[in-house]
Amino acid sequence: MALDLGMPILVVDDYQTMVRIIRNLLKQLGFEDVDDASDGTGALAKLKTKKYGLVISDWNMEPMTGYELLRHVRADDALRTTPFIMVTAESKTENVIAAKKAGVNNYIVKPFNAQTLKTKIEAVCGA
Amino acid sequence: MACASKAEPAGPAGPTIPVNELLEIADYITKLKRGIAALRAQELTRDRIPMAHDELGSVVAATASATNRIMESAEAMLEIKAKTLEEYRSQVEAHIGDIFEACTFQDITGQRISKVVDALGQLEKRLSQFSTVVNVRDGEAEHDPEEARRKARAEKLLLNGPQLKGPATPQDAIDALFS
């Protein structure tokens, strides 16, 4: 199954540079419909107004972290099946296990490269 | 003083403090004053800490500015629509020149960070000397409620931050957990 390049993707990160990097990488992969939010609260508001095919989120943000966003998404009947990739500098095993338990689909440690992002998106979105 | 170490008799106003204890307190106060003077707190708050604050602010601004310039050049290269190879090469080289220029921030930020490291070293040295002089341990201090709240939040939400010397768990090990 080929990747659906038309699917909307939501990038959540409080660093605009990182948002820009991920946006460019996604653009190189062929994704055009990319939105962004600077924390979990903003992301949750966008998720409730538009159907996204994938969420790519940082962990460490204020006031709502990516981990809290993930738990909100998985607790919401309308959003619970949305694929969710955590892209973060939080690399302790306890973080990875907590995210997995909370229902994350994949986990990327910063810094990462385009190939890693592509591989994870393919794994999560079933290419 | 012949009676320096003897307890004074209780007077009509109640028991008095022995003279030797008063001398110890006076000695402690003298040491404390010397310790406080050695801290040079006014110099720290007037010069060194604002300097460190300003320098780090400049570092953040310089790195953000350089990153933006580098990304703008890279994005512009991705958008080049040249008719000939020569034209393409010329435009790419111009953007690469911009990237090289943007990278000059590193030398200046390195110098700024060295000044901050030096200021922190001075602060650490003076605080260490002061804590030796006053002989007070951390546990005797009152806890800052804001700091306690920040720590509790970080613990609850597993906010460990980036690890020194690379990630604590490498990507391969994480991938194994998801396979």
Side-chain angles (χ1 to χ4, degrees):
Chain A
M1 195 171 77
L3 273 176
D4 174 12
L5 297 176
M7 75 175 176
I9 298 178
L10 181 62
V11 178
V12 193
D13 202 304
D14 52 351
Y15 277 87
Q16 275 309 301
T17 303
M18 188 48 67
V19 168
R20 197 165 167 184
I21 290 167
I22 296 174
R23 269 183 173 277
N24 276 312
L25 292 175
L26 291 171
K27 194 176 172 187
Q28 278 188 284
L29 295 175
F31 294 101
E32 292 289 342
D33 191 356
V34 181
D35 292 335
D36 62 79
S38 59
D39 80 293
T41 312
L44 210 51
K46 290 197 173 182
L47 282 160
K48 286 181 176 171
T49 57
K50 182 172 171 179
K51 176 83 178 160
Y52 288 94
L54 175 64
V55 176
I56 298 173
S57 177
D58 182 25
W59 184 303
N60 198 337
M61 296 176 291
E62 298 273 359
M64 187 195 286
T65 66
Y67 179 52
E68 290 173 300
L69 171 65
L70 171 64
R71 293 200 298 192
H72 276 285
V73 166
R74 291 295 177 251
D76 187 317
D77 285 341
L79 302 173
R80 67 168 67 245
T81 58
T82 308
F84 197 114
I85 297 177
M86 198 71 85
V87 179
T88 176
E90 300 290 350
S91 63
K92 283 198 168 177
T93 308
E94 61 173 341
N95 289 82
V96 185
I97 290 170
K100 196 173 182 222
K101 274 187 184 166
V104 81
N105 297 88
N106 224 310
Y107 198 103
I108 302 173
V109 178
K110 290 179 186 174
F112 60 97
N113 58 32
Q115 186 54 44
T116 304
L117 182 65
K118 186 179 179 217
T119 309
K120 304 306 172 207
I121 293 175
E122 284 172 349
V124 167
C125 298
Chain B
M1 282 199 306
C3 59
S5 60
K6 286 183 185 169
E8 297 288 333
T16 55
I17 302 170
V19 173
N20 59 348
E21 273 189 36
L22 283 173
L23 288 172
E24 277 175 24
I25 291 168
D27 186 44
Y28 182 76
I29 290 170
T30 307
K31 276 186 189 168
L32 199 60
K33 283 175 77 178
R34 268 196 227 117
I36 290 169
L39 263 180
R40 285 186 275 160
Q42 283 146 336
E43 186 230 356
L44 287 175
T45 53
R46 187 189 59 229
D47 298 331
R48 289 193 185 257
I49 292 172
M51 178 277 289
H53 190 270
D54 290 347
E55 295 288 5
L56 286 179
S58 296
V59 167
V60 171
T63 51
S65 164
T67 306
N68 276 332
R69 280 185 69 186
I70 291 166
M71 290 191 75
E72 273 165 19
S73 296
E75 284 166 1
M77 277 194 274
L78 288 172
E79 299 294 329
I80 290 175
K81 289 179 177 68
K83 286 180 185 146
T84 64
L85 190 59
E86 271 308 300
E87 193 186 332
Y88 180 79
R89 185 189 169 92
S90 159
Q91 288 188 41
V92 167
E93 281 177 353
H95 290 303
I96 288 173
D98 288 342
I99 291 172
F100 285 152
E101 272 179 34
C103 288
T104 56
F105 80 96
Q106 207 277 335
D107 175 40
I108 298 161
T109 54
Q111 291 178 46
R112 290 189 191 285
I113 290 170
S114 292
K115 284 168 77 178
V116 175
V117 168
D118 181 56
L120 282 175
Q122 283 289 325
L123 183 60
E124 184 187 15
K125 191 176 160 191
R126 290 185 205 175
L127 286 175
S128 169
Q129 285 169 345
F130 183 69
S131 70
T132 306
V133 168
V134 298
N135 197 23
V136 174
R137 285 190 294 256
D138 288 354
E140 295 168 36
E142 274 184 34
H143 290 286
D144 176 7
E146 185 56 40
E147 174 66 7
R149 246 194 316 277
R150 194 192 61 75
K151 272 190 177 174
R153 181 176 189 271
E155 200 170 310
K156 182 184 162 209
L157 297 170
L158 303 173
L159 301 173
N160 299 304
Q163 308 296 298
L164 280 174
K165 296 176 184 168
T169 313
Q171 187 68 53
D172 289 351
I174 293 170
D175 291 347
L177 285 169
F178 283 87
S179 61

